[in-house]
Amino acid sequence: MNRQLTILLIGRIITNFADSFYMIATIWYVKSLTGSPFLIGLTSAVAILPVTIQFLYGPVIDRFSKKTILYAAMFGQGALISVISILYYSNILWLPVLFLMMFMALSLSESTYPTESALIERLAPKEKLTKVNAFFSFSYQTLDIICDAVSGILIAFVGLGVIYMTNSVLLVMTGLMFLVYLKVPKSEKESQVSALGFFKQYKEDFKEGFGVVRSKRKLLSIMFGVMGINLMATMGLAMLPVISDTSAEYGFWLTAISVGTLTGTLLSSRVEKIPLNRILPIVAVWSGVFWLLAFTFRGAWFLPYLFFAFSWAGIGILSIYIQTMIQVNLPRNHVGIGFAFISSLLGSLSPLGFFLGGVIGELTSGIFLLSISGTGYLLFSIYFLVNPKLRTLDGPLNVGFEESA
C-alpha cells in the first residue's frame, strides 16, 4: 500500500478502537444503571441511527475536501466524548443527554466511512480493491478482537470515565494526524467551480447521485436482501448484553464476532473469483446455520462462542463483498454519494431492529430472540436464488455486473 493509504488505515484503526470502547462502555453503563432490556435495545438503536442519515453526507463528500471532512469529524467526535466523560465524573450524566451526545458523536463518525471508501477507490487500483478492502478490515478487526476481549475487564478495573476520556484524546490525535499528514488527490467535482450557492449545488448533486444509485437495479436488489438480514440480526444482537451475566461474558460474545469477521475478511480475497450467484447464497447459509447452532448449544462452555465466530466468518465475507460491489459498480465520481446512499439504505432498518429487539426481549427472552434472528441469513440465500436478476450474476466480484449485464 502507498503512504496515503497507510495513513488512512492508521486513522481507521484508531477510530475503530475508540468507537468500540465507548460504545461497549455506554451499553454496559445503561445495563448497570437500569437493567432494562428495552433501554439496552434503545441504546443500540440510538447508536445505529446515524447510519440511516449517511445519504445526507453524500453530496458534501463528492464536492468538498475529503481530508477536511475526516479531521473535522475526528475533532468534533473527540469534543463530544470529552463532554460525556465530564458529565460522568460530575455524576450528572442523564440518559437522554447521553443518548443525544452519543448520536451526535456517531453521526460524525459515520461521515468518515463513505469518505474513506471513496478515497480507497481513488487511491487503490481497481483490480486490487478487494484485497485493499480486505486488508483494511483485517487490520482494524484484529484490533477489535483485542478491544472486545479486554473491554469487560477494563470497564471493571479502570472505570467508564477513564474509557471515555482516553477515547476523546485518541480521536483528537487522529484528527491532528489527518490534518498534518494526509494528502489526497482532488476529485473532478472538487476541482469544479460551482456558480450555484451551497444549498442549490447540494440539491443538484443530491438529485444526480440519487439518480445514479436508482439506476443500479441489480445492486439494489442485493442491498434490499441485506436490509432484511440486518433487521433480523440486529433484533438478536440487542439481546447479547441481556443474556450476559457479566461485562466479561459480553466481551466474549463481541470477541467471537470480531474473530469471525476477521477470519471472513482473510478468506474474502481467496473466494473472490467464485461467481456471485454461487458464493453469496453459500456464505449466507453458512452464517445462518452456525448462528442457530450457537444459541442451540448455549450451555456447552466454549462451543457457542466458537459457533458464533463461524457464523461471523461468513458475515465478514458478505461485508467485504458488499463494500467492493458498491465501489466496482458505481461511477468513480459518484462513489462517495453512492456509498452514502446505499449505506443509509442498508442501515435504515437496523435502528428498528434494535428497538424491536428490546421490546420483544421484554415480552419473551433474549435467547429466544437470538435463536430466530439467525434465520435471516437462510432467508437471504433463498431470496438470492429465486430473484431472476440475481440468478444471472455469474461473474466474479471485481467485474461490474451493472456494466456487463
Side-chain angles (χ1 to χ4, degrees), residues 106-137:
L106 290 172
S107 294
L108 290 172
S109 178
E110 286 301 328
S111 70
T112 65
Y113 287 95
T115 304
E116 290 172 353
S117 184
L119 284 177
I120 290 172
E121 191 279 335
R122 187 163 291 275
L123 295 170
K126 186 173 182 178
E127 65 274 9
K128 294 185 178 179
L129 267 178
T130 305
K131 289 185 178 179
V132 172
N133 285 328
F135 188 79
F136 265 66
S137 293

Side-chain angles (χ1 to χ4, degrees), residues 47-195:
I48 202 70
L49 193 59
V51 176
T52 65
I53 61 170
Q54 272 196 24
F55 69 95
L56 297 174
Y57 307 135
V60 177
I61 292 168
D62 281 334
R63 179 70 60 178
F64 295 97
S65 167
K66 295 170 181 58
K67 172 180 174 177
T68 302
I69 293 170
L70 289 175
Y71 72 70
M74 294 298 106
F75 288 150
Q77 198 178 359
L80 288 165
I81 302 304
S82 295
V83 172
I84 291 176
S85 64
I86 292 169
L87 293 176
Y88 176 82
Y89 278 122
S90 303
N91 293 317
I92 54 174
L93 186 55
W94 191 34
L95 279 186
V97 174
L98 174 60
F99 290 162
L100 177 62
M101 292 288 180
M102 182 175 67
F103 173 78
M104 294 169 63
L106 290 172
S107 294
L108 290 172
S109 178
E110 286 301 328
S111 70
T112 65
Y113 287 95
T115 304
E116 290 172 353
S117 184
L119 284 177
I120 290 172
E121 191 279 335
R122 187 163 291 275
L123 295 170
K126 186 173 182 178
E127 65 274 9
K128 294 185 178 179
L129 267 178
T130 305
K131 289 185 178 179
V132 172
N133 285 328
F135 188 79
F136 265 66
S137 293
F138 169 78
S139 299
Y140 60 71
Q141 286 294 340
T142 302
L143 188 59
D144 269 356
I145 292 173
I146 300 171
C147 293
D148 294 340
V150 304
S151 58
I153 299 171
L154 282 178
I155 290 171
F157 282 94
V158 305
L160 297 171
V162 173
I163 290 176
Y164 282 132
M165 186 58 73
T166 302
N167 289 339
S168 68
V169 172
L170 285 173
L171 290 164
V172 171
M173 288 174 59
T174 305
L176 286 171
M177 181 185 69
F178 285 149
L179 176 62
V180 175
Y181 295 108
L182 186 63
K183 303 198 181 337
V184 295
K186 287 186 177 182
S187 67
E188 184 179 326
K189 284 193 174 184
E190 283 180 63
S191 303
Q192 293 173 353
V193 178
S194 174

Side-chain angles (χ1 to χ4, degrees), residues 118-317:
L119 284 177
I120 290 172
E121 191 279 335
R122 187 163 291 275
L123 295 170
K126 186 173 182 178
E127 65 274 9
K128 294 185 178 179
L129 267 178
T130 305
K131 289 185 178 179
V132 172
N133 285 328
F135 188 79
F136 265 66
S137 293
F138 169 78
S139 299
Y140 60 71
Q141 286 294 340
T142 302
L143 188 59
D144 269 356
I145 292 173
I146 300 171
C147 293
D148 294 340
V150 304
S151 58
I153 299 171
L154 282 178
I155 290 171
F157 282 94
V158 305
L160 297 171
V162 173
I163 290 176
Y164 282 132
M165 186 58 73
T166 302
N167 289 339
S168 68
V169 172
L170 285 173
L171 290 164
V172 171
M173 288 174 59
T174 305
L176 286 171
M177 181 185 69
F178 285 149
L179 176 62
V180 175
Y181 295 108
L182 186 63
K183 303 198 181 337
V184 295
K186 287 186 177 182
S187 67
E188 184 179 326
K189 284 193 174 184
E190 283 180 63
S191 303
Q192 293 173 353
V193 178
S194 174
L196 303 175
F198 172 80
F199 290 106
K200 286 187 177 180
Q201 185 62 63
Y202 178 94
K203 183 179 178 181
E204 290 297 316
D205 289 343
F206 189 94
K207 288 169 60 179
E208 182 184 351
F210 178 75
V212 169
V213 172
R214 189 174 59 177
S215 68
K216 306 299 180 182
R217 302 293 185 180
K218 292 184 178 180
L219 183 63
L220 287 178
S221 293
I222 296 174
M223 299 308 149
F224 287 138
V226 176
M227 284 173 62
I229 290 177
N230 287 345
L231 175 64
M232 296 191 68
T234 50
M235 287 172 63
L237 291 177
M239 293 296 99
L240 287 181
V242 175
I243 67 169
S244 302
D245 295 325
T246 65
S247 59
E249 184 181 344
Y250 181 44
F252 292 153
W253 286 114
L254 296 178
T255 301
I257 292 174
S258 293
V259 170
T261 306
L262 172 62
T263 304
T265 298
L266 289 171
L267 292 173
S268 61
S269 60
R270 302 290 184 91
V271 297
E272 65 176 325
K273 301 299 183 185
I274 301 176
L276 293 173
N277 58 6
R278 288 172 52 198
I279 187 64
L280 291 179
I282 290 172
V283 168
V285 170
W286 171 280
S287 299
V289 168
F290 279 105
W291 182 300
L292 294 172
L293 287 174
F295 298 101
T296 301
F297 296 95
R298 187 185 170 229
W301 194 41
F302 72 96
L303 205 56
Y305 305 116
L306 181 62
F307 284 152
F308 207 45
F310 283 161
S311 173
W312 279 86
I315 297 169
I317 293 175

Side-chain angles (χ1 to χ4, degrees), residues 9-31:
L9 174 62
I10 292 171
R12 182 75 265 156
I13 289 172
I14 297 173
T15 305
N16 265 54
F17 180 90
D19 288 352
S20 293
F21 268 130
Y22 82 70
M23 270 303 307
I24 294 168
T26 299
I27 291 172
W28 201 254
Y29 173 73
V30 173
K31 172 170 181 173

